[in-house]
Amino acid sequence: MGLPALEFSDCYVDSPQFRERLKSHELELEKTNKFIKELIKDGKALIQALKNLSTAKRKFAESLNEFKFQCIGDAETDDEICIAKSLQEFAGVLQNLEDERTRMIENANDVLISPLERFRKEQIGAAKEAKKKYDKETEKYCTVLEKHLSLSAKKKEAHLHEADNQVDIVRQHFYEVSLEYVFKVQEVQERKMFEFVEPLLAFLQGLFTYYHHGYELAKDFNHFKTDLTISIQNTRNRFESTRSEVECLMKKMKENPHEHKSISPNTMEGYLFVQEKRSFVSTWVKYYCIYHREPKRMTMMLFDQKSGAKNGDEESFTLKSCTRRKTDSIEKRFCFDIEAVDRPGVITMQALSEEDRRLWMEAMDGREPVLYLRHQKFLLHSNMIGFILRAFHMLETRGTPLVGLYRIVGVSSRVQKLLSLAMDPKTCADVELDSTEWEIKTITSAIKHYLRMLPAPLMTYQYQRSFIIAAKLDNPEARVAEIHSIVHRLPEKNRQMLELLMKHLAKVASHHQQNLMTVANLGVVFGPTLLRPQEETVAAIMDIKFQNIVIEILIENHERIFKDMPVSGGGQGNSQLNLPRRRSADSKAPSCSERPLTLFHTPSFSEKDKGTPASCFFIKLKININYNFLRIKIMLNLCFLFVCACVCVCRSPASPSPTSPRSPSWPMFSAPSSPQLASSTSSESSPVRCVSCSGLLRQLSIAVHPPLRKARALYACKAEHDSELSFIAGTIFENVHPSREPGWLEGTLDGKTGLIPENYVEFV
């Protein structure tokens, strides 16, 4: 479990739980600060002590291996997992280089020491200064408040009014300092994920340059380095969008704190002063109180805001009645009396203000809160759907090659004018989108603004959390299956609109080489719009990265998700499969739907597959050998496989129907003669009819030796099977020739032979 998210609304409540969560963040920052100091010390020793190089490297590696990242939220993205385990990867590399001695490392101070020092001083140091300011303001606020509440109600009204204004000013300043401190703490926690790892990555790259004996190790490290670089960039991009959202929320709360203060209709909580009478003397003791309306249960906790520590155990009782105290009956202001069922006597309490007392009274006497209804102007009606369809057609006709499509925003006044015309039934049909009056960015901004201003998001508040939970599943197939199931639970009109939008975005992504709008970039644009949460909180903002992943999955799998009905039971059954997590596709220019499927990589054999007579032979077929021997083995296995299938079918008394369980549909394997043929057959299988064994053998004929050529990678690719190759853009492959896999090539990289997606490379 990672660090809990710090909600800005908790700054106004300032509960003990909030202080504990804040303290856990402070301890994590202090831990990080100490670790960076130790890391810098070890790095300097490594540079200066050539004789003790082996010892210093071992200590450095141990330090890296012991540190663990703590992320905000209850789940991590694939990129965050990659970054989190990067320190352990670095430690393994250093341990392998322990016995290798060489000259003193040059330029290590610039790439390692200085960035870490800068991060510690500028970021963690700023957080410490903010903490000092926050502690000072807390003490000041509590002191002023206690002094203010001690004023007698018999003083002049002008004097009391002036005192109230002074307390409000101090309270507002305290809230602002609290908000800024929470924002800074979470900012540093997020920044360390990339600003801390990047210097280490650069330092390791420098080590590889000077170690001749580490050459082979450096080649092996290139695979992880590619993933880590992509993960850092993805995390940085997500951080920028998340930070702007959090900062915007903080500004909103500064401007209108009462509108964003979280007040639950079923729970009231806050600080109250309770009058305690002891031997002819009454004292007022400060408690943190929580009242649950449904069971009428009040809980009081003695807590000191200044020290942040609890004093004693909690006390709970059931509320019987609540009565407002008149001003002339007690010297204190903002007072009310409560009676308990399971506690004798009357308890007199003092609220922090008149407004605070009103809220407590409303909560405890059962009066319903005032509900404000939002003005629902933007609706999903037929006029706008028709306008959006025309806009999609126009964009697909002449707008898809434009760089930054949907990311570049239009002029606000022009966007509002276009929307007003489109939403008016009288003028909707007269809007000419092909006119020079409307720029491409104006049309795309109008579509985004309309979807953003719907009363409920297109994918609904009801299923928003379900989509997020599905995106957090470990198994990529389970993610797709679960999202597939949830999509078909959406209202019919929402699902139809979502299908049109995803189909359009898939066409936009297919021109990513011109418009630079990959599936991942479109996910960043439309994730917060289509899956916005009902309540704007820091925790919800931290889930934006998973909203983006949901949109990526919908774009990549739109044909399967919207055309096919989901399997009964949803995707929950697949979540237990032990398959690798889904990688972010930010670095891939082609989407996953453009990545050819590997026919020969089938799931491992299980007990449930024993029911079919020939499937067990097919499942056991795995290709882990070189190309020449592969052809012979495939020929023998497939011949035997289909002969067995023919025998089973021929023995049946009647010819089974195509849908009969006795008539399995076998894939036809043939080498693609062209890229078009390969792509068209990558996801389809042709049934092989049992005419005769000789007919089967003719269908299984294999092409003779193909020509060997060189090819250059156009995009980066992450291997999903042992027989595939991982590479970055610009990599040169040797001995490239067509593979048995439709849509795949086979080539050699750094002495390793494996499969390469055909649409990821070009021949040289």
Side-chain angles (χ1 to χ4, degrees):
M1 190 68 181
L3 292 173
L6 298 175
E7 299 294 347
F8 287 131
S9 58
D10 290 342
C11 295
Y12 293 90
V13 179
D14 199 14
S15 65
Q17 294 81 7
F18 167 72
R19 288 284 182 154
E20 290 179 1
R21 292 193 294 270
L22 184 60
K23 192 171 184 179
S24 66
H25 281 261
E26 292 170 351
L27 291 175
E28 177 61 22
L29 285 180
E30 184 61 27
K31 177 183 175 183
T32 303
N33 185 42
K34 291 181 179 179
F35 175 71
I36 292 178
K37 287 183 178 179
E38 187 68 19
L39 198 61
I40 292 172
K41 178 181 177 182
D42 294 339
K44 291 180 178 179
L46 183 62
I47 295 172
Q48 297 174 0
L50 185 59
K51 294 181 180 180
N52 299 324
L53 182 60
S54 179
T55 304
K57 286 171 58 180
R58 185 182 294 276
K59 176 67 171 61
F60 190 68
E62 290 175 356
S63 299
L64 291 177
N65 196 40
E66 290 172 359
F67 185 77
K68 299 293 188 298
F69 279 114
Q70 293 292 334
C71 299
I72 298 176
D74 59 351
E76 298 176 345
T77 64
D78 297 328
D79 296 318
E80 289 172 340
I81 291 176
C82 179
I83 293 176
K85 72 177 183 179
S86 61
L87 299 185
Q88 285 71 36
E89 293 288 338
F90 298 155
V93 171
L94 291 175
Q95 288 169 359
N96 288 330
L97 290 173
E98 176 188 350
D99 296 330
E100 302 295 334
R101 298 175 182 268
T102 187
R103 299 176 359 179
M104 185 179 295
I105 303 170
E106 298 176 355
N107 299 325
N109 187 68
D110 295 335
V111 299
L112 177 66
I113 306 301
S114 297
L116 293 179
E117 284 280 9
R118 185 164 54 251
F119 175 77
R120 188 178 67 85
K121 293 179 181 178
E122 296 178 1
Q123 300 300 326
I124 300 180
K128 287 184 176 181
E129 291 297 324
K131 173 176 170 53
K132 292 180 181 178
K133 185 177 180 181
Y134 175 68
D135 293 339
K136 181 178 179 181
E137 288 300 324
T138 300
E139 184 175 359
K140 178 181 178 182
Y141 167 66
C142 293
T143 303
V144 171
L145 181 62
E146 292 176 1
K147 182 179 178 181
H148 175 68
L149 295 176
S150 300
L151 291 176
S152 173
K154 297 180 180 180
K155 289 185 177 292
K156 293 182 179 180
E157 187 66 24
H159 180 74
L160 293 176
H161 183 68
E162 180 181 0
D164 289 344
N165 291 338
Q166 291 179 353
V167 171
D168 289 340
I169 294 173
V170 174
R171 181 187 295 112
Q172 181 64 27
H173 186 61
F174 168 70
Y175 289 160
E176 291 180 0
V177 171
S178 178
L179 288 170
E180 292 172 355
Y181 178 52
V182 168
F183 173 76
K184 187 61 181 178
V185 167
Q186 295 195 113
E187 179 187 17
V188 176
Q189 293 284 18
E190 287 292 295
R191 277 182 177 276
K192 71 179 183 181
M193 292 296 291
F194 53 87
E195 289 195 0
F196 179 46
V197 177
E198 276 186 322
L200 296 171
L201 182 63
F203 170 69
L204 287 176
Q205 188 61 37
L207 282 179
F208 292 140
T209 305
Y210 296 100
Y211 281 88
H212 174 73
H213 294 287
Y215 175 72
E216 291 297 328
L217 185 60
K219 289 201 302 183
D220 295 338
F221 183 78
N222 277 335
H223 170 76
F224 179 77
K225 186 188 72 173
T226 302
D227 290 346
L228 182 58
T229 304
I230 295 172
S231 297
I232 291 174
Q233 187 59 43
N234 294 343
T235 305
R236 182 189 294 275
N237 294 339
R238 293 191 182 106
F239 164 77
E240 293 298 336
S241 60
T242 303
R243 183 183 183 278
S244 61
E245 293 286 343
V246 175
E247 188 175 14
C248 180
L249 177 59
M250 183 187 70
K251 291 179 179 178
K252 289 180 181 178
M253 300 201 71
K254 282 185 176 182
E255 295 171 358
N256 301 300
H258 296 291
E259 293 183 6
H260 294 272
K261 185 178 180 180
S262 65
I263 300 177
S264 171
N266 301 315
T267 305
M268 182 67 188
E269 58 181 314
Y271 287 97
L272 292 173
F273 284 82
V274 180
Q275 186 181 37
E276 296 183 354
K277 298 179 180 179
R278 298 171 185 171
S279 61
F280 307 104
V281 178
S282 64
T283 59
W284 293 87
V285 182
K286 189 176 184 180
Y287 285 87
Y288 188 82
C289 303
I290 303 175
Y291 176 73
H292 298 277
R293 174 174 290 178
E294 187 62 29
K296 291 189 175 182
R297 196 72 180 169
M298 171 73 86
T299 302
M300 300 195 313
M301 180 192 312
L302 195 59
F303 182 78
D304 186 8
Q305 280 181 278
K306 299 177 183 178
S307 62
K310 294 181 182 179
N311 298 321
D313 299 329
E314 295 181 354
E315 181 182 359
S316 298
F317 53 85
T318 302
L319 181 69
K320 181 180 180 181
S321 65
C322 176
T323 307
R324 187 189 303 269
R325 287 292 294 267
K326 294 184 178 179
T327 305
D328 55 2
S329 66
I330 191 171
E331 292 185 355
K332 300 283 187 178
R333 297 194 299 162
F334 319 135
C335 293
F336 57 92
D337 294 336
I338 62 174
E339 292 183 273
V341 176
D342 47 358
R343 175 173 170 169
V346 177
I347 306 173
T348 301
M349 295 184 170
Q350 182 185 28
L352 303 183
S353 63
E354 185 63 39
E355 175 67 15
D356 191 39
R357 179 170 66 172
R358 183 186 67 79
L359 293 174
W360 279 104
M361 295 291 295
E362 286 185 358
M364 288 190 284
D365 66 8
R367 284 181 288 179
E368 295 292 333
V370 180
L371 297 177
Y372 297 94
L373 299 178
R374 296 177 61 184
H375 179 57
Q376 299 183 2
K377 177 183 177 181
F378 291 82
L379 299 175
L380 195 63
H381 51 73
S382 57
N383 288 340
M384 281 305 300
I385 294 178
F387 166 76
I388 291 176
L389 286 176
R390 289 192 291 128
F392 285 169
H393 177 72
M394 191 280 299
L395 293 172
E396 293 166 8
T397 303
R398 65 184 182 92
T400 49
L402 296 181
V403 175
L405 187 66
Y406 280 110
R407 185 179 284 274
I408 299 176
V409 297
V411 180
S412 178
S413 59
R414 304 294 299 167
V415 173
Q416 293 295 337
K417 180 180 179 180
L418 177 59
L419 273 178
S420 63
L421 293 174
M423 295 180 66
D424 189 347
K426 298 179 181 179
T427 59
C428 179
D430 299 331
V431 178
E432 295 292 339
L433 296 177
D434 291 329
S435 172
T436 55
E437 181 181 4
W438 309 115
E439 297 180 278
I440 296 295
K441 62 182 181 181
T442 303
I443 299 174
T444 56
S445 297
I447 295 173
K448 291 188 296 181
H449 185 73
Y450 170 73
L451 295 174
R452 191 181 306 117
M453 296 306 295
L454 290 172
L458 190 61
M459 299 171 75
T460 72
Y461 291 129
Q462 178 183 359
Y463 297 109
Q464 195 265 352
R465 285 304 306 167
S466 300
F467 280 112
I468 296 299
I469 293 172
K472 293 179 180 180
L473 294 176
D474 290 343
N475 181 3
E477 283 300 321
R479 296 182 196 176
V480 177
E482 183 64 18
I483 291 175
H484 188 181
S485 175
I486 301 171
V487 165
H488 284 267
R489 295 182 227 155
L490 293 173
E492 182 67 20
K493 187 174 291 188
N494 293 55
R495 182 166 54 82
Q496 291 176 356
M497 187 66 228
L498 184 63
E499 179 181 1
L500 295 173
L501 178 60
M502 293 302 113
K503 184 178 180 181
H504 167 68
L505 295 181
K507 293 181 180 178
V508 173
S510 65
H511 295 79
H512 61 271
Q513 293 180 344
Q514 292 82 27
N515 57 34
L516 304 182
M517 294 303 294
T518 61
V519 172
N521 290 337
L522 291 172
V524 171
V525 173
F526 282 92
T529 298
L530 302 181
L531 274 172
R532 71 176 186 271
Q534 194 163 11
E535 184 179 359
E536 192 175 11
T537 63
V538 175
I541 293 174
M542 293 303 172
D543 279 338
I544 288 178
K545 52 196 173 187
F546 295 104
Q547 297 173 9
N548 302 345
I549 291 175
V550 172
I551 303 304
E552 292 178 31
I553 292 175
L554 288 174
I555 297 174
E556 294 170 349
N557 303 274
H558 68 280
E559 292 187 358
R560 166 187 169 185
I561 290 176
F562 292 102
K563 290 186 178 180
D564 301 334
M565 292 299 295
V567 180
S568 60
Q572 295 294 343
N574 296 330
S575 63
Q576 302 301 325
L577 294 176
N578 186 21
L579 293 178
R581 291 175 63 97
R582 178 181 181 273
R583 280 282 172 194
S584 175
D586 289 7
S587 63
K588 292 185 182 179
S591 66
C592 291
S593 62
E594 297 174 295
R595 180 188 178 92
L597 300 177
T598 53
L599 297 177
F600 291 149
H601 290 283
T602 57
S604 59
F605 180 65
S606 60
E607 290 295 326
K608 66 180 182 180
D609 295 317
K610 291 183 178 179
T612 57
S615 63
C616 54
F617 295 100
F618 178 70
I619 292 173
K620 289 182 178 180
L621 189 60
K622 293 185 177 179
I623 300 166
N624 297 313
I625 55 177
N626 61 52
Y627 180 79
N628 293 325
F629 184 70
L630 174 66
R631 293 183 306 175
I632 301 174
K633 185 172 181 179
I634 292 175
M635 179 64 118
L636 294 176
N637 279 278
L638 291 180
C639 287
F640 183 65
L641 168 74
F642 283 96
V643 169
C644 290
C646 289
V647 171
C648 293
V649 174
C650 293
R651 284 182 179 179
S652 60
S655 179
S657 64
T659 59
S660 172
R662 294 192 178 189
S663 178
S665 178
W666 306 106
M668 183 181 298
F669 302 101
S670 60
S673 58
S674 65
Q676 291 79 6
L677 179 59
S679 61
S680 64
T681 60
S682 62
S683 60
E684 298 180 358
S685 61
S686 302
V688 180
R689 303 183 180 275
C690 296
V691 180
S692 65
C693 293
S694 59
L696 288 174
L697 293 176
R698 283 196 299 271
Q699 292 178 358
L700 293 172
S701 59
I702 298 176
V704 192
H705 301 280
L708 304 180
R709 302 170 61 184
K710 289 186 178 181
R712 178 187 296 107
L714 298 175
Y715 321 107
C717 180
K718 171 70 169 63
E720 297 180 358
H721 301 284
D722 293 338
S723 60
E724 299 177 16
L725 296 177
S726 294
F727 51 86
I728 60 177
T731 302
I732 301 296
F733 302 96
E734 304 284 345
N735 302 329
V736 180
H737 55 269
S739 168
R740 290 297 111 193
E741 302 281 7
W744 292 79
L745 300 173
E746 189 171 297
T748 303
L749 175 62
D750 297 332
K752 180 181 177 182
T753 300
L755 296 176
I756 310 163
E758 190 172 25
N759 57 345
Y760 276 53
V761 299
E762 64 177 358
F763 286 102
V764 296

